[in-house]
Amino acid sequence: MTVRTTVVVATAAVALTVGFAAPAMAAGAGDGGHDATRKAVRAAVQDGVPGVTLTAKDGGSTWSTTAGVGNLKTHAPRSVDDRYRVGSITKTFVSTVLLQLEAEGRLSLDDTVEKWLPGVVHGNGHDGSRITVRQLLNHTSGIFNYTADETFGRTYFLKDGFLEHRYDTKTPEQLVAVAMAHQPDFAPGTSWNYSNTNYVVAGMVIQKVTGRSYGEEIRHRIIDPLHLTATSVPGTRVTVPQPSSRAYSKLAQTATGPTYDVTRLNPSLASSSGEMISDSADLDRFYAALLKGRLLPPKQLKEMKTTVAVEGIPNARYGLGLMDRKLSCGVHVWGHDGGIHGSSSVAVTTADGRHSVAFNFNGDWSGDTDAVVEAEFCGE
């Protein structure tokens, strides 16, 4: 789930741009060939991001850098091993599980939502019998985005509401019910709009098909086989495991004003649209393994990489929980970005999985993530 708290409502988690501001301090290891990336990371901090942590893998070499601080009170630096909330990067994990289930013959992408979740997507024009699993995963379902609900935004993204409700537990059914109180954005399959509700429903489908939660399936199918030791599905746990930095937000509709520590929150408000925690090295490993075909058979990987046009994001197309972005130098990168209170993250890799980068800003109101991606793949 991408949550830009400065605009109250979640914006398209696929946009590889975010903005921020803080003191400049950078450190890097094995810097050869990454000067442009290091400069872009420092620029983000100068623009106001409290701190940045980044790890890139290119062939057999790994390079990491940090800038800024992980704690505004103590001025402790960020660590290359920092764990952080990854927001909508969760969506790629969820989609991978559903595609594995399809490969096993346990469901079809053309199954309707109604087949698996009778009566769940219903009301105000929503009709689960007309929406397929594929349309959930590529955001062509038309289901209203629950984080765009004004009351939900005031309650969970703005200062007074967040400080009162940050530890609330929300069930997937409650989140879907928020969306069902609105009319659909469009008829299924006729347009594209990013909706976090799609992936809450997708997580519910996983549970119905397997009898286990989406988090259990991700652990069993992805985290454990790939040895992603820093990656977790926290459920209702309000803390981020160590090592980690603090996360900061303005909790406002502007990028000015006081800065709040929002590290502790109940991530059930994001559910399977954006609940997970990871670190940069794990995300590099996950996306490289995915694009190299280690997690999906060729047929399902091709399905995941079958994209549709998206609005408002130049040179980008969206697949099944995976975005294809053409950079200024002609390189295509595949991955996702994600935002949740105080945390903005990006993880992308080349089509062959050989060159990957993942990074995190521990603030949600400034900084240019797009510039960092461009620097890593197109910089001199």
Side-chain angles (χ1 to χ4, degrees):
M1 178 171 65
T2 285
V3 175
R4 290 296 299 278
T5 51
T6 54
V7 294
V8 187
V9 195
T11 57
V14 292
L16 289 177
T17 52
V18 198
F20 302 40
M25 180 179 72
D31 291 0
H34 295 275
D35 286 348
T37 306
R38 189 162 66 264
K39 289 176 182 175
V41 165
R42 286 173 167 168
V45 171
Q46 298 216 337
D47 190 37
V49 179
V52 183
T53 181
L54 176 149
T55 295
K57 295 199 70 166
D58 192 356
S61 65
T62 299
W63 176 79
S64 298
T65 192
T66 64
V69 297
N71 188 314
L72 290 175
K73 287 185 177 179
T74 67
H75 303 292
R78 294 213 66 176
S79 165
V80 298
D81 298 317
D82 267 358
R83 301 177 186 192
Y84 46 83
R85 300 188 191 278
V86 304
S88 279
I89 290 172
T90 302
K91 291 180 170 67
T92 313
F93 287 81
V94 170
S95 181
T96 300
V97 170
L98 280 166
L99 285 162
Q100 288 180 346
L101 291 170
E102 187 201 43
E104 295 163 9
R106 300 174 69 179
L107 60 76
S108 166
L109 292 178
D110 297 319
D111 286 346
T112 66
V113 173
E114 186 72 11
K115 173 180 177 177
W116 293 107
L117 303 171
V120 171
V121 177
H122 181 75
N124 287 310
H126 287 96
D127 183 355
S129 69
R130 299 177 58 211
I131 298 168
T132 66
V133 173
R134 187 193 312 273
Q135 290 167 340
L136 294 177
L137 299 183
N138 65 12
H139 296 294
T140 61
S141 72
I143 297 176
F144 183 84
N145 179 12
Y146 75 92
T147 59
D149 177 86
E150 289 186 12
T151 300
F152 192 92
R154 287 194 303 271
T155 303
Y156 294 104
F157 303 146
L158 294 184
K159 177 177 72 78
D160 290 343
F162 175 80
L163 294 179
E164 180 181 351
H165 294 283
R166 66 195 299 172
Y167 301 127
D168 288 1
T169 293
K170 305 298 288 184
T171 67
E173 291 79 8
Q174 288 173 321
L175 300 178
V176 174
V178 171
M180 295 302 104
H182 298 263
Q183 292 186 344
D185 294 321
F186 48 82
T190 64
S191 188
W192 184 91
N193 189 51
Y194 192 88
S195 174
N196 289 302
T197 316
N198 285 324
Y199 275 78
V200 176
V201 175
M204 295 170 71
V205 171
I206 290 172
Q207 175 136 14
K208 190 62 176 289
V209 173
T210 66
R212 301 202 297 182
S213 71
Y214 93 93
E216 291 176 292
E217 290 296 321
I218 286 175
R219 281 188 287 269
H220 171 66
R221 295 169 174 272
I222 302 173
I223 293 175
D224 291 344
L226 293 182
H227 305 291
L228 304 181
T229 56
T231 303
S232 60
V233 184
T236 58
R237 187 184 73 221
V238 303
T239 57
V240 178
Q242 294 295 318
S244 59
S245 294
R246 309 305 294 177
Y248 298 99
S249 179
K250 296 297 184 182
L251 295 176
Q253 291 176 284
T254 65
T256 59
T259 299
Y260 298 92
D261 186 323
V262 295
T263 310
R264 293 171 62 91
L265 59 83
N266 186 328
S268 67
L269 67 88
S271 186
S272 45
S273 74
E275 177 187 318
M276 292 178 66
I277 292 168
S278 191
D279 73 358
S280 298
D282 272 10
L283 292 177
D284 284 341
R285 189 177 304 119
F286 166 64
Y287 279 101
L290 180 62
L291 271 294
K292 287 178 179 179
R294 291 179 54 195
L295 293 172
L296 294 173
K299 178 178 182 292
Q300 278 69 36
L301 184 57
K302 182 179 179 181
E303 293 274 15
M304 182 177 248
K305 294 173 69 177
T306 300
T307 59
V308 296
V310 302
E311 297 178 8
I313 308 169
N315 303 311
R317 294 179 64 86
Y318 200 90
L320 305 184
L322 191 69
M323 187 175 75
D324 172 25
R325 182 90 184 252
K326 184 180 179 181
L327 303 180
S328 62
C329 56
V331 171
H332 282 257
V333 292
W334 294 83
H336 216 287
D337 79 334
I340 193 168
H341 305 71
S343 183
S344 297
S345 309
V346 174
V348 292
T349 189
T350 49
D352 60 6
R354 286 183 54 82
H355 187 178
S356 307
V357 68
F359 59 94
N360 172 261
F361 295 172
N362 64 336
D364 60 19
W365 67 91
S366 69
D368 188 351
T369 58
D370 195 31
V372 177
V373 174
E374 285 277 343
E376 177 61 25
F377 292 95
C378 300
E380 297 296 328

